[in-house]
Amino acid sequence: MKYVVVLGDGMADYPVAELNNKTPLEAANKPNIDGLAEKGELGLVKTVPDHLNPPGSDIANMSVMGYDPDVFYTGRSPLEAVSMGLTLGEEDLAVRCNLVTLSDEPAYEDKTMIDYSSDEISTSESTELINYVQEKLGTDILHLYPGISYRHCLVYKIPGEVKLLCTPPHDISDKPIKDFLPKAPESAILLEMMKKSHELLKDHPVNKARIAAGKRPANSLWFWGEGRKPALANFKETYGVKGAVVSAVDLIKGLGYCAGMEVIEVPDVTGNINTNFTGKMQATVDFLKNGGDFVYLHMEAPDECGHRHEIDNKVKSIEIIDRDVVGPIVGALKGTDDFKLLILPDHPTPLALRTHTHDAVPYLIYDSRKGSEKKGQRYTESCAEATKNYRSRGHELMRYFLEG
């Protein structure tokens, strides 16, 4: 038996006026996924408990992967740090660092969050900027490490229980930052670093070139998502299958590393709609055909479109996943292997809100050994809700999927 989780990050949504009051899942032309929905189990699953905030991809994907976030969650950035090859000590607090675009008011506090991704800055550009700020502002207790695109890591040496009270930048798009700056006493040093980074970055040659090319400058650091070194139970020992992770983002790779899974690197993956979907699909099939049992295939594109309020691109990303990922995987496995697919988002990223919510998400389980048909059933939020099939503990879905 082969198992594949097809995780479309942030796919779930609310009805959108511009889509004739349909959600992107309802508006998308996805014959492969909807064909599986007619023969599979559809329902809703609560991936992020209401008491855990914010409802981020870290908590949600940990839950979908079968780990109770109330037991295992220590923060987002440590998972990314692991993927980046960083070794965290007992006093090391890993903190996510975005390169963001802020507006040009003279006082830092008066600025607005224009773009949490600096127009999805390239990795080569962002690496130069992060290394420059590290050279100028890095200390024995604050060290910046470059990651991918706008996503980077700060290691802050500070012992004990620490709550920095930072806000994810994608939660405050187009909002003044004054009320969302780090608030805890321990984060005062980070706020100072953010302010100084703006002075360093605003006239950096990389940003001058970006502005000349009509792109947004990466003119400030923004810190959030702190946490200590994580420790997950081994996935194979827990679930009895040899697994791998395929993803473009360090967060998901870090979950894979921490769970003892193989992390497959695919060329030309970006975490947005212009990624190598076919390469991800092929890596999944190759792993399963060469002795693997399970793949957690993560695609970030719908989430990025939700954050950026790109309505047409969110629909398009779902259609690409259907055409270039789900269809070929089913075609490759059909007739040669028994297989099961679990298709779902980790959380909703509603276009109207441009951030995540705690709402339950639609899931679809397809088992190639079963053929009962439910004509007209599609993979949508409304069809999932209509089944009255509701799972309140998201981390339990994985065992049900693998053993049910």
Side-chain angles (χ1 to χ4, degrees):
M1 175 64 74
K2 306 297 183 181
Y3 305 91
V4 183
V5 175
V6 178
L7 196 295
D9 202 301
M11 281 195 301
D13 211 308
Y14 303 148
V16 179
E18 292 87 342
L19 298 175
N20 295 319
N21 290 318
K22 296 179 180 179
T23 69
L25 281 172
E26 291 172 332
N29 177 28
K30 51 185 199 313
N32 294 297
I33 296 175
D34 287 339
L36 299 178
E38 288 192 331
K39 301 175 183 177
E41 175 185 325
L42 204 59
L44 292 174
V45 59
K46 181 79 167 173
T47 56
V48 183
D50 287 331
H51 63 275
L52 293 181
N53 288 292
S57 292
D58 44 7
I59 296 170
N61 278 278
M62 180 177 286
S63 180
V64 175
M65 203 174 282
Y67 296 95
D68 185 348
D70 281 324
V71 175
F72 292 102
Y73 183 67
T74 63
R76 178 190 185 108
S77 190
L79 297 167
E80 297 174 326
V82 168
S83 176
M84 294 166 65
L86 304 182
T87 301
L88 299 177
E90 294 302 318
E91 294 189 349
D92 290 340
L93 188 71
V95 187
R96 160 67 93 86
C97 172
N98 275 43
L99 276 173
V100 303
T101 304
L102 300 180
S103 59
D104 57 5
E105 286 79 7
Y108 192 85
E109 292 82 357
D110 293 335
K111 297 181 185 298
T112 294
M113 181 63 65
I114 301 298
D115 191 336
Y116 67 89
S117 72
S118 300
D119 261 347
E120 296 186 350
I121 186 171
S122 72
T123 299
S124 61
E125 291 172 308
S126 66
T127 297
E128 183 175 344
L129 295 179
I130 290 294
N131 286 338
Y132 176 69
V133 177
Q134 169 59 26
E135 178 187 337
K136 299 295 185 181
L137 302 181
T139 67
D140 290 341
I141 64 170
L142 297 174
H143 197 293
L144 286 163
Y145 295 90
I148 296 173
S149 183
Y150 61 89
R151 311 173 186 95
H152 310 282
C153 183
L154 174 78
V155 175
Y156 179 10
K157 285 192 177 296
I158 181 170
E161 286 290 323
V162 178
K163 294 286 187 182
L164 298 180
L165 303 179
C166 297
T167 301
H170 53 257
D171 283 359
I172 57 171
S173 294
D174 298 326
K175 294 181 181 179
I177 65 173
K178 185 175 183 179
D179 294 333
F180 304 101
L181 295 170
K183 295 180 175 62
E186 297 90 345
S187 59
I189 190 173
L190 303 187
L191 178 56
E192 187 65 22
M193 193 176 194
M194 289 160 60
K195 292 179 177 180
K196 289 180 177 179
S197 76
H198 180 265
E199 294 304 310
L200 289 171
L201 293 174
K202 64 180 182 179
D203 295 320
H204 190 280
V206 166
N207 279 324
K208 286 186 175 181
R210 288 181 63 78
I211 292 169
K215 299 176 183 178
R216 288 169 172 164
N219 60 16
S220 183
L221 306 182
W222 188 275
F223 298 118
W224 62 288
E226 75 275 4
R228 301 287 184 185
K229 182 180 180 180
L232 296 183
N234 184 276
F235 190 84
K236 185 175 182 180
E237 293 175 3
T238 302
Y239 293 107
V241 292
K242 178 183 178 182
V245 164
V246 176
S247 178
V249 299
D250 283 326
L251 168 63
I252 310 304
K253 294 178 184 178
L255 279 168
Y257 283 123
C258 290
M261 300 166 75
E262 184 173 333
V263 176
I264 302 173
E265 296 293 340
V266 179
D268 302 320
V269 291
T270 64
N272 60 40
I273 195 168
N274 300 307
T275 194
N276 185 3
F277 287 100
T278 298
K280 287 185 172 184
M281 175 278 298
Q282 194 60 54
T284 298
V285 171
D286 290 346
F287 179 78
L288 296 174
K289 292 293 187 182
N290 288 285
D293 305 310
F294 169 93
V295 177
Y296 193 89
L297 173 53
H298 172 270
M299 286 155 294
E300 182 81 354
D303 182 64
E304 289 290 320
C305 296
H307 287 305
R308 299 175 72 84
H309 196 71
E310 296 176 354
I311 298 172
D312 291 341
N313 273 345
K314 187 164 187 182
V315 174
K316 182 181 176 182
S317 69
I318 294 168
E319 292 177 340
I320 294 172
I321 290 170
D322 180 82
R323 184 191 68 223
D324 294 349
V325 178
V326 174
I329 287 175
V330 172
L333 297 178
K334 205 168 187 178
T336 60
D337 297 283
D338 290 331
F339 65 95
K340 295 177 74 173
L341 295 184
L342 170 59
I343 300 173
L344 77 169
D346 48 350
H347 51 66
T349 307
L351 288 154
L353 302 179
R354 300 180 64 170
T355 190
H356 308 160
T357 71
H358 286 87
D359 297 307
V361 297
Y363 75 87
L364 163 62
I365 294 177
Y366 171 78
D367 187 332
S368 66
R369 301 167 301 177
K370 300 177 182 178
S372 59
E373 292 203 17
K374 307 169 188 71
K375 287 293 185 183
Q377 179 166 277
R378 300 181 67 217
Y379 176 66
T380 66
E381 298 87 351
S382 57
C383 283
E385 184 177 6
T387 68
K388 307 299 183 183
N389 185 10
Y390 178 75
R391 298 184 177 276
S392 61
R393 294 168 63 85
H395 66 277
E396 295 178 351
L397 181 63
M398 180 59 70
R399 190 169 297 280
Y400 174 75
F401 169 59
L402 294 173
E403 299 179 0

